[in-house]
Amino acid sequence: MREIVIVGGGYAGFYTAWRLEKTLRKDEARVTVVDPRPYMTYQPFLPEVTAGSVEARHAAVSLRRHLRRTRLIAGSVTEIRHTDRKVTVRPVHGADHDMRYDILVVTAGAVTRTFPIPGLAQQAIGLKHVEEAVAIRDRLMTAFDEAASLPPGAERRKLLTVTFVGGGFSGVEGFGELLSLATAMLKSYPELSIDDLSFHLVEARDRILPEVGDKPGAWVVDSLERRGAHVHLNTQLVSAEDGHVVLSSGEEFDSALIVWTAGNASNPVVHNHTDLPVDERGLLVVRADLRVGTDSEPVQDVWAAGDDAAVPDLASPVPGAHTVPNAQHAVRQGKWLAKNIVAGLRGGRIRSYRHASLGVVATLGLGRGIFQYKSIVIKGFPAWLMHRGYHVLAVPSWERKIRVLSVWLTAALFGRDLVSLLSVQHPRDAFVTSGDAQRAGESRAIYRAA
């Protein structure tokens, strides 16, 4: 059988494997997905996970539940050697080993881009995975509990100061949702007021949400500032040591929660550990039909899609443009890639990927959103409904759609669930503490008996 190895189980990888399962005949090929996580993260739901509007597990799509005919390997690909038709796999447990393939699909995705800013690695948290979204929510809720027991002052102010660095979709949506959550929580904390909250959004460029036009972007800034947020444009983070934020504008403040969403970087495996062609950004050079290589020099039996691939955008009027690295393209590229692989195996016609944008939509918090399609702009509650409607249709499987809808309906009837489970991140603390106390008691008893 032909061996098809898919590097990465994100959007593009998951949908490629899912479609291959549906179209490949039995014994026509064996599909293997290599990914360290046992699930595909539906990233558009992460901002709502931070606000508690979507349960964390509902933003994660189980690979084993939906890819029943695919071999799944829990690990990471550390090197690609196409000259030998091999990839090096580093499993979660055990030694590295080589895996042979006949057809390779590279959908490793991008990684969070960081900079050598003092204190960033020690203080900040990203917003790219489910566990990060859950941690952000729990930290904010725990900060409310701690701040409510403190008198007004610097310590309380630091606990209730939140800083997001990065004004792209991930940063703005996460910022807006967390601001909405914090405002709603004040009703349950009579000791605190809106004046105690301090939310800062830091963006190095002169505008946020580059995917929308100038006027809609300015409206989003105005909307956030009317809700009490501080939006710092043309500003960079200089330092975050010990939670003390220093901005390039000269402003300084203490912040207990710092979220870094300042863009993506090319995957190190694709950029540094492969003999496949990459461009100056570290992305795989991809043809319009999603095969790796150029029109004149294609790489045989290697395909790529998603954030680690520079896919030509045939729907763009700009010569040489590439598709935007977002979920909309990754999902469609994965499905298209699977169709082309099957066509190649059966001697059929391989077609170029072409998809015009359906527009962009973002949530800015409960009941608030922004949508733009060409010159059409919709703001506020209707855009928020469009955001929820689109993504509940886009999330894979009816099981996930129903679970998400049920959580939204429950929240509409009973409100948000304002329970912090920060202690889950240290599950043995209670066990260890009780054991230490018990041993200390026994020691005292022995001492008194002696």
Side-chain angles (χ1 to χ4, degrees):
M1 288 209 305
R2 304 295 295 275
E3 291 283 350
I4 302 175
V5 174
I6 301 176
V7 181
Y11 286 119
F14 172 81
Y15 278 96
T16 298
W18 206 19
R19 182 58 62 91
L20 284 173
E21 282 197 351
K22 295 178 180 180
T23 53
L24 284 173
R25 293 189 292 264
K26 186 178 180 181
D27 298 333
E28 190 171 12
R30 182 170 70 168
V31 180
T32 299
V33 173
V34 182
D35 195 282
R37 289 180 170 82
Y39 54 83
M40 183 270 283
T41 302
Y42 190 73
Q43 291 185 355
F45 277 159
L46 293 186
E48 295 202 58
V49 172
T50 66
S53 300
V54 170
E55 288 293 331
R57 285 185 175 87
H58 300 169
V61 180
S62 170
L63 298 181
R64 291 196 175 274
R65 178 165 185 167
H66 296 90
L67 303 179
R68 299 182 182 275
R69 293 169 49 201
T70 298
R71 181 174 63 159
L72 300 173
I73 296 179
S76 303
V77 169
T78 60
E79 186 179 8
I80 299 172
R81 302 188 305 281
H82 185 60
T83 52
D84 301 325
R85 299 269 177 146
K86 291 180 180 180
V87 296
T88 300
V89 177
R90 178 166 296 164
V92 174
H93 299 289
D96 293 7
H97 63 272
D98 288 341
M99 179 183 297
R100 182 191 169 278
Y101 63 82
D102 296 298
I103 297 174
L104 180 67
V105 179
V106 185
T107 54
V111 298
T112 300
R113 179 182 61 185
T114 59
F115 298 97
I117 298 173
L120 179 65
Q122 295 75 27
Q123 300 294 325
I125 184 171
L127 185 52
K128 198 173 182 64
H129 302 289
V130 172
E131 55 268 30
E132 293 174 325
V134 173
I136 290 170
R137 177 175 180 263
D138 286 343
R139 287 186 185 185
L140 179 69
M141 290 185 169
T142 301
F144 264 71
D145 289 332
E146 295 174 356
S149 63
L150 294 173
E155 193 171 354
R156 176 197 272 193
R157 189 162 52 251
K158 179 179 180 178
L159 285 169
L160 299 179
T161 298
V162 177
T163 304
F164 272 66
V165 183
F169 257 83
S170 178
V172 171
E173 287 190 312
F175 184 80
E177 285 287 348
L178 207 64
L179 176 60
S180 178
L181 172 63
T183 305
M185 287 176 63
L186 289 173
K187 299 176 183 178
S188 301
Y189 291 84
E191 305 91 340
L192 306 175
S193 70
I194 190 69
D195 295 331
D196 291 314
L197 297 181
S198 185
F199 273 65
H200 298 263
L201 177 62
V202 181
E203 169 55 44
R205 291 168 291 188
D206 61 354
R207 53 164 300 176
I208 62 174
L209 294 179
E211 295 86 352
V212 304
D214 290 341
K215 289 185 177 180
W219 178 85
V220 172
V221 172
D222 184 61
S223 173
L224 292 173
E225 290 180 337
R226 287 199 308 269
R227 293 160 59 187
H230 307 277
V231 181
H232 307 268
L233 300 178
N234 292 312
T235 305
Q236 298 178 2
L237 177 66
V238 175
S239 175
E241 290 185 293
D242 298 323
H244 183 70
V245 173
V246 180
L247 303 180
S248 60
S249 61
E251 188 171 354
E252 300 183 22
F253 51 86
D254 290 329
S255 180
L257 179 57
I258 302 173
V259 184
W260 180 266
T261 60
N264 295 324
S266 59
N267 194 293
V269 174
V270 173
H271 193 185
N272 303 317
H273 303 288
T274 178
D275 55 1
L276 298 173
V278 296
D279 64 11
E280 65 281 358
R281 297 173 296 167
L283 303 178
L284 287 170
V285 176
V286 178
R287 296 158 35 122
D289 58 10
L290 303 180
R291 284 185 282 193
V292 172
T294 63
D295 292 338
S296 59
E297 297 183 7
V299 179
Q300 192 69 23
D301 296 325
V302 183
W303 307 75
D307 292 354
D308 60 9
V311 180
D313 189 354
L314 300 184
S316 173
V318 180
H322 295 94
T323 57
V324 178
N326 60 17
Q328 189 177 137
H329 279 298
V331 169
R332 287 163 176 79
Q333 287 171 8
K335 296 177 180 179
W336 198 270
L337 195 156
K339 291 168 60 176
N340 277 348
I341 289 176
V342 174
L345 287 172
R346 298 173 182 173
R349 180 182 175 186
I350 296 175
R351 301 174 182 269
S352 295
Y353 171 80
R354 182 188 182 94
H355 172 69
S357 173
L358 300 175
V360 292
V361 61
T363 174
L364 303 175
L366 193 62
R368 301 176 175 89
I370 181 76
F371 168 82
Q372 181 176 8
Y373 175 69
K374 296 182 178 179
S375 61
I376 301 173
V377 178
I378 300 175
K379 308 170 184 175
F381 186 73
W384 176 77
L385 287 178
M386 293 173 68
H387 176 273
R388 286 205 160 182
Y390 172 80
H391 285 298
V392 79
L393 291 174
V395 68
S397 83
W398 280 103
E399 172 256 343
R400 275 296 180 265
K401 300 180 197 295
I402 293 171
R403 288 184 185 275
V404 171
L405 282 171
S406 64
V407 172
W408 284 344
L409 179 59
T410 303
L413 294 174
F414 303 107
R416 303 173 190 259
D417 190 349
L418 304 180
V419 177
S420 170
L421 295 177
L422 187 62
S423 58
V424 170
Q425 299 175 38
H426 306 282
R428 296 188 65 252
D429 284 358
F431 176 76
V432 173
T433 301
S434 63
D436 290 343
Q438 183 176 349
R439 285 189 292 273
E442 292 172 350
S443 298
R444 287 193 295 270
I446 293 173
Y447 176 78
R448 287 195 296 268

